[in-house]
Amino acid sequence: MADYDLAIIGGGLNGVSMARDAAGRGLRVILLEQGDLGSAASSASPRLIHGDLAVLERRAFLRVRTALAERDTWLRIAPHLVRPMRFAIPAHSDERPPWLLRLGLLLYDRLASRSGLPGSVTVDVTHHPIGYALKRPFGTAFEYSDCVVDDSRLVIANAIDAAERGATIRTGARCVRADRLDIWRLAMIDRGRRQVITARALANAAGAWTASVAETVLRTPPPQAGAVQISQIVVRRLFDNDNVYVFQNADRRLIFASPYERDFTLIGTVGHAFKGDPAIVSMAAADVTYLCDAANRYFRERVEPSDVIQTVSGANLVMGSSGRRAARDGAMTFDARRGKAPLLTMFGGDVTTSRLRAERAVSRLTPFYPMSPRWTATTPLPGGDFAWTKFDAEVERARERWRFLGEGEAQRLVSAYGSRLAAVLGDAKGRADLGPAFGPELTGAEVRHLMAKEWARFPDDILWRRSKLGLTMSPADREALAALMATAV
Ligand SMILES: Cc1cc2nc3c(=O)[nH]c(=O)nc-3n(C[C@H](O)[C@H](O)[C@H](O)COP(=O)(O)OP(=O)(O)OC[C@H]3O[C@@H](n4cnc5c(N)ncnc54)[C@H](O)[C@@H]3O)c2cc1C
């Protein structure tokens, strides 16, 4: 008998979503991630949970409706990680006539009919806070509802849920060889040690590595896919409201500028073909300039490439050669030859439909195992067992219980841990009860929690994925954090 029913290569959003789905349906699951969970493309998404206006423009109405239904699902199952926002598109007729945009948004509202989020409206920005950050010529904007997500914490939340349902999650474990018999025999290097396991089915969810894993590890034909990268920039906060701005760029692409970690703005995306090692995806200077120019066309405050605090880039495979369009779709193939153990391959796709993709992928295994029915759409992710309309109440409750928390800090903690915040803060009465401090917000208690319950091993795992506190932490605090983590391993 094989050690596991399903082995998954890759701890990005696709891998962990499949692990969660399959573990909850009663399969014995192991997931192997060579680095940290979500350390590649899944931490570099546009962070949007949306029907996608660009898809609407392509008249793929069914896809928009499906994605908007998934948006509702996320609000139900992850109200801490997925937050509704008002999006604002300044209107002008250079790229699309305003009447067409307005019509499109009315259709978008109709396709999202059950969501409970406010519909689209026309706003006179000369007298509206949306307009304060914009250049003078913009008199009107259209405002509509969509959501933003903490993509890397979504990966972690899926992994936690999978583990709590029995899945084995191994980080720092690289799959180096997989032999396909009537079961899979996998060799991995786990923190320097070679180990062999067996599994009845295998999922290749190695993101931009999917083709090289197919060729060199599984020795199966690689998918006919090309690599594409997307990039974004982080700059200081450019506006004081909580809206996401959507700018029509001169090339007709939509550029998003979102509030990011309280003091910053995330601007993106720009994408193109990628060549090279997916572990090192960097942003070209021309792409930085492209996003600065896009922002400067609309915002009063100028953004120069020298203002960029951080660049965020990720690569993944896309089927065929149609670039970003295919990236949103994602790809899934299922190979179940007679006498050979089944192979699922999944890569790309957007965050919004990741739960559904995983559900469909795992469902392909139903002829092979007895499995309980689909469940992930109705069961909250860890910490998500409250209504999305009660997020502010959850923050208030946290501030009443832990009186030393500031407003912004409480919001960060509730966004990250939801109703499970007590697992981090316990019965602390003051900061001193939470151990050493690393900067104004990160405490020894949180670090311990992340190491014990969320697979954090190195400072970057905490500073850039389980939080974004790396944006504001001083070098001295980083060193102190590294020293603590080194002794805790
Ligand atoms: C071009 C592009 C466009 C995108 N557009 C959108 C968009 O419009 N909207 C949106 O929401 N998101 C978008 N995304 C991001 C999207 O979030 C990710 O593509 C998605 O999260 C799926 O990631 P993944 O799990 O396939 O890959 P990844 O997150 O890259 O995960 C793959 C993992 O496999 C691991 N791995 C590789 N080889 C091995 C091995 N041998 N053993 C163990 N582990 C291994 C890697 O370390 C990595 O962590 C886009 C991404 C790209 C690149």
Side-chain angles (χ1 to χ4, degrees), residues 438-458:
F438 308 94
E441 286 193 28
L442 186 65
T443 61
E446 191 171 357
V447 172
R448 266 199 311 279
H449 174 83
L450 293 173
M451 293 185 78
K453 304 287 183 197
E454 296 195 4
W455 302 275
R457 292 198 294 150
F458 303 107

Side-chain angles (χ1 to χ4, degrees), residues 367-425:
F368 298 87
Y369 322 106
M371 225 187 265
S372 49
R374 299 163 188 229
W375 64 280
T376 55
T378 47
T379 307
L381 280 159
D385 49 351
F386 60 92
W388 63 266
T389 48
K390 301 282 186 239
F391 180 85
D392 291 340
E394 204 67 24
V395 173
E396 257 330 286
R397 210 182 342 250
R399 292 195 71 194
E400 275 163 28
R401 177 160 178 195
W402 296 284
R403 291 187 171 273
F404 53 89
L405 294 178
E407 169 84 30
E409 187 181 13
Q411 278 187 1
R412 176 185 79 79
L413 289 166
V414 172
S415 299
Y417 304 104
S419 61
R420 292 191 172 189
L421 184 52
V424 181
L425 301 181

Side-chain angles (χ1 to χ4, degrees), residues 7 23 28 64 99 103 138 225 250 313-314 345 366 370 388 452-453 473 479:
R28 296 167 303 142
V64 176
W99 65 264
L103 205 64
F138 301 106
S313 299
T345 303
T366 42
W388 63 266
K453 304 287 183 197
M473 189 171 283
E479 269 179 39

Side-chain angles (χ1 to χ4, degrees), residues 158-325:
N158 272 283
I160 294 172
D161 207 11
E164 290 181 354
R165 293 170 197 278
T168 302
I169 307 288
R170 296 262 188 98
T171 61
R174 177 155 197 249
C175 183
V176 289
R177 188 181 169 110
D179 294 314
R180 190 177 190 181
L181 312 163
D182 56 339
I183 57 172
W184 285 95
R185 192 170 170 280
L186 283 92
M188 69 176 108
I189 305 291
D190 185 349
R191 299 174 197 200
R193 284 188 24 237
R194 190 180 165 90
Q195 202 188 330
V196 174
I197 54 154
T198 54
R200 293 172 68 189
L202 179 67
N204 177 1
W209 292 263
T210 304
S212 64
V213 164
E215 265 183 316
T216 62
V217 178
L218 316 184
R219 283 154 291 121
T220 54
Q224 294 305 304
V228 184
Q229 79 167 74
I230 54 165
S231 299
Q232 301 171 85
I233 54 174
V234 177
V235 297
R236 70 188 176 278
R237 187 153 189 159
L238 294 174
F239 48 91
D240 282 332
N241 58 63
D242 274 338
N243 291 85
V244 175
Y245 287 90
V246 187
F247 298 144
Q248 304 176 66
N249 204 31
D251 56 8
R252 289 186 66 83
R253 295 198 53 233
L254 297 177
I255 303 292
F256 294 83
S258 327
Y260 188 65
E261 306 297 317
R262 295 211 292 275
D263 299 325
F264 303 94
T265 300
L266 179 72
I267 304 173
T269 60
V270 52
H272 47 71
F274 173 76
K275 274 199 172 65
D277 179 355
I280 315 161
V281 190
S282 54
M283 188 171 183
D287 288 347
V288 173
T289 306
Y290 171 92
L291 292 178
C292 290
D293 289 349
N296 288 336
R297 189 170 164 205
Y298 289 87
F299 282 131
R300 272 170 204 258
E301 203 174 327
R302 278 193 72 76
V303 187
E304 304 295 344
S306 57
D307 297 324
V308 172
I309 292 162
Q310 193 195 14
T311 60
V312 181
S313 299
N316 213 324
L317 295 190
V318 295
M319 223 41 170
S321 57
S322 55
R324 281 184 48 79
R325 177 179 300 197

Side-chain angles (χ1 to χ4, degrees), residues 9-15 32-36 39-42 45-46 48 173-175 205-207 209 213 228-230 314-316 324 327-328 347-351:
I9 303 175
L13 191 56
N14 283 329
L32 308 178
E33 165 52 51
Q34 64 186 356
D36 183 26
S39 52
S42 298
S45 84
L48 301 172
R174 177 155 197 249
C175 183
W209 292 263
V213 164
V228 184
Q229 79 167 74
I230 54 165
N316 213 324
R324 281 184 48 79
R328 276 194 217 99
F347 54 83
D350 64 3
V351 175

